[in-house]
Amino acid sequence: LDEAVEGLSSREREVFTLRDVHGLEVDVIAAALNVSEVTVRRQSGDARRKVLAWFRRHHPEYVGPPEAG
């Protein structure tokens, strides 16, 4: 996971860590980073997609096939 997260921008890494590792809520992260909740959701989604893509390339045995559509 550390290698996958290294490929994120610093803000994506920060949001990913706060939301997906520490389990903080979107509103708490938005307030802490002084950004909108929409921004947190977008950065979180971008980070999750990048981490998933990294795992698909490097460790496909840990993830399912890409979703159709």
Side-chain angles (χ1 to χ4, degrees):
L1 182 60
D2 289 338
E3 288 181 44
V5 172
E6 284 177 16
L8 303 175
S9 72
S10 60
R11 182 50 63 98
E12 288 170 339
R13 190 169 34 255
E14 192 171 28
V15 169
F16 181 84
T17 301
L18 292 172
R19 187 159 190 212
D20 295 300
V21 176
H22 296 292
L24 296 179
E25 297 293 330
V26 170
D27 61 330
V28 174
I29 298 168
L33 300 179
N34 197 31
V35 297
S36 72
E37 291 182 26
V38 170
T39 297
V40 171
R41 285 189 192 94
R42 182 183 47 77
Q43 291 172 338
S44 178
D46 290 348
R48 288 173 176 177
R49 278 187 291 281
K50 289 178 183 179
V51 168
L52 183 57
W54 186 93
F55 271 96
R56 283 203 173 106
R57 280 191 310 276
H58 298 282
H59 295 286
E61 67 275 15
Y62 293 126
V63 295
E67 293 181 18

